């Protein structure tokens, strides 16, 4: 069973045909582990990867990590076979690649529901996320994000997207429109916004700059392709001590005002507006969730 | 399950197992296993291979397995891949994980 709203700072891609990487995937601290049956698997090994991910999901324990499988697209003929395996194996979230329209989400959901019914799994147990990887998909992002109650988030797949735009990845300006569209679509639908991978694993400075940018924009997290990217990414998302102190002071002022029976709270002579409280609470929740996950990993 | 050709699945990488499956008309199942953890897990690996073949209705086959420290779930997955490749079939009956229902 999936959880709609949870911490998803990092979603680590794990090649679906690599037993060693699958075995060790949970030890690196990513919030979500994303087993890949699509681009990282050669066409001749699609069957092999499907069997491997299916057996791993059924028998291995991944602790507090969210399990996600990126299936092949339904149009390839492989996606349905992937769903038959991973839904029965109890994956929490199916990542649908190359989502161009709301209909793609609806078609995938219909297949998931059919499999859940056939297998006797409670309908609605399997979550979904949609990866948007084309100009069409970006323009349809708002409808895509609202196409199913199962959607936990929408993600940007930048490599295919920039190819569709007839450009290449550079300093990020080429992705600004897509990121803004996807982020707004996610927020309007009340789901997570997840950023694309940063492919140059040896360039930590560039990775941190990109992570900082997407956090500023408002994204919940980012896909990673190497365990080395997890810690710097989580550091970017960790609230700064001065922000935490301010958020705690805001929440204390609110609590004091409530205790007095007053509807108006102030801090250092300034009235505290509702959006300020919302942001403070979100910051403290993020800090608490991050700390809790660290504690579980330390145990 | 009728095997119609020789098949292989898996790799020689660490944590994996390479399974070669040859169809036979009779003679049951023979397993030629090489493993760097033969002493500790040889019998367990053979059991997983034999159980997976039996479960999928394979009664006669020669198996050559080169193990590089694979977990049971990997051994099972590579065996299934080899079986369905040898049978030129993709009609595997996926089972539901316990506790999911």
């Amino acid at each position: 069973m999936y959880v709609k709203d949870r911490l998803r700072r990092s979603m680590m891609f794990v090649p679906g045909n690599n037993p060693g990487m699958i075995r060790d995937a949970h030890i690196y601290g990513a919030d979500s582990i994303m087993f890949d049956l699509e681009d990282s698997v050669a066409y001749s090994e699609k069957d092999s990867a499907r069997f491997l991910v299916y057996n791993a999901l059924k028998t291995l324990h991944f602790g507090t990590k969210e399990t996600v499988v990126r299936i092949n697209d339904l149009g390839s003929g492989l996606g349905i076979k992937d769903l038959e395996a991973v839904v029965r194996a109890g994956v929490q979230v199916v990542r649908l690649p190359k989502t161009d329209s709301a209909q793609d989400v609806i078609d995938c959901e219909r297949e998931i529901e059919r499999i859940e019914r056939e297998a006797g799994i409670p309908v609605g147990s399997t979550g979904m996320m949609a990866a948007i990887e084309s100009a069409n998909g970006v323009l349809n992002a708002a409808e895509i994000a609202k196409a199913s109650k199962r959607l936990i988030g929408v993600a940007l797949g930048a490599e295919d997207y920039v190819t569709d735009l007839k450009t290449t990845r550079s300093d990020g300006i080429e992705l600004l429109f897509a990121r803004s569209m996807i982020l707004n679509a996610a927020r309007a639908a009340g789901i997570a916004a997840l950023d694309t991978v940063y492919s140059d694993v040896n360039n930590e400075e560039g990775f941190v700059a990109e992570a900082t940018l997407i956090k500023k924009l408002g994204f919940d997290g980012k896909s990673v392709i190497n365990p080395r990217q997890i810690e710097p990414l989580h550091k970017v998302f960790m609230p700064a001590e001065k922000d935490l102190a301010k958020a705690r002071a805001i929440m204390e002022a609110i609590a004091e005002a409530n205790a007095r029976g007053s509807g108006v709270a102030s801090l250092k002579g300034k009235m505290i507006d509702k959006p300020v409280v919302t942001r403070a609470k979100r910051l403290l929740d993020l800090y608490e969730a991050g700390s809790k996950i660290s504690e579980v990993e330390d145990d | 399950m009728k095997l119609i050709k020789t098949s292989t699945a898996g790799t020689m990488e660490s944590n994996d197992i390479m399974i070669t499956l040859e169809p036979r008309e009779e003679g049951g199942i023979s397993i030629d296993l090489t493993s760097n953890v033969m002493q500790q897990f040889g019998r367990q690996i053979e059991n997983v291979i034999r159980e997976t073949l039996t479960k999928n209705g394979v009664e006669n086959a020669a198996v050559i397995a080169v193990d590089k420290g694979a977990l049971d779930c990997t051994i099972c997955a590579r065996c299934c891949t080899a079986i369905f490749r040898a049978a030129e079939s993709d009609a595997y009956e996926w089972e539901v994980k316990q506790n999911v229902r």
Side-chain angles (χ1 to χ4, degrees), chain A residues 263-296:
Chain A
V264 183
S266 63
L267 183 66
K268 293 181 183 171
K270 282 186 187 170
M271 198 178 87
I272 303 173
D273 292 328
K274 197 178 170 203
V276 174
V277 180
T278 306
R279 283 201 299 275
K281 188 169 182 319
R282 193 182 295 149
L283 193 85
L284 291 171
D285 286 349
L286 182 64
Y287 174 75
E288 196 182 335
S291 306
K292 268 185 193 165
I293 285 190
S294 302
E295 279 169 23
V296 172

Side-chain angles (χ1 to χ4, degrees), chain B residues 44-61:
Chain B
Q44 170 67 8
I45 296 166
E46 278 201 31
N47 284 345
V48 175
I49 293 171
R50 204 173 289 277
E51 278 170 18
T52 308
L53 292 168
T54 305
K55 195 173 172 185
N56 287 285
V58 178
E59 293 170 355
N60 300 298

Side-chain angles (χ1 to χ4, degrees), chain A residues 77-197:
Chain A
L78 297 165
I80 301 276
K81 293 178 183 176
D82 296 340
L83 285 176
E84 297 280 1
V86 301
V87 170
R88 286 181 172 83
V91 72
Q92 289 171 326
V93 176
V94 168
R95 176 175 166 130
L96 180 64
K98 298 180 176 59
T99 314
D100 289 337
S101 67
Q103 192 59 46
D104 290 342
V105 176
I106 294 164
D107 291 345
C108 185
E109 179 174 32
R110 188 184 303 126
E111 293 300 329
I112 291 173
E113 186 171 327
R114 174 186 60 76
I115 295 163
E116 285 174 343
R117 285 187 197 285
E118 286 175 8
I121 299 168
V123 171
S125 301
T126 316
M128 293 173 67
M129 61 182 288
I132 293 174
E133 308 180 46
S134 68
N136 251 331
V138 168
L139 291 174
N140 293 328
E143 290 78 29
I144 289 170
K146 290 179 180 171
S148 167
K149 284 183 180 169
R150 293 176 189 255
L151 282 173
I152 58 99
V154 278
L156 172 62
E159 298 301 332
D160 283 306
Y161 174 68
V162 293
T163 306
D164 201 24
L165 281 195
K166 299 188 176 175
T167 183
T168 54
R169 289 190 71 175
S170 58
D171 58 356
I173 192 69
E174 73 286 356
L175 297 178
L176 186 58
F177 178 71
R179 281 177 169 146
S180 304
M181 286 286 280
I182 287 169
L183 179 67
N184 278 274
R187 295 297 172 245
I191 59 176
L194 301 153
D195 192 48
T196 187
V197 299

Side-chain angles (χ1 to χ4, degrees), chain A residues 14-27 33 35 49 51-69 86 88-92, chain B residues 15-16 69-77 97-100:
Chain A
V14 178
N17 202 32
N18 188 315
M21 288 187 185
I22 290 174
R23 189 195 69 175
D24 295 341
H26 69 288
I27 68 176
I33 304 169
F35 301 108
F51 272 118
L52 188 61
V53 169
Y54 163 79
N55 278 283
L57 284 170
K58 276 183 70 180
T59 55
L60 302 182
H61 297 285
F62 298 101
T64 57
K65 311 301 174 197
E66 179 177 56
T67 57
V68 182
V69 174
V86 301
R88 286 181 172 83
V91 72
Q92 289 171 326
Chain B
N15 300 301
D16 207 343
L71 296 177
D72 285 3
C73 63
T74 303
I75 300 166
C76 179
K97 181 182 179 175
Q98 276 185 334
N99 304 329
V100 168

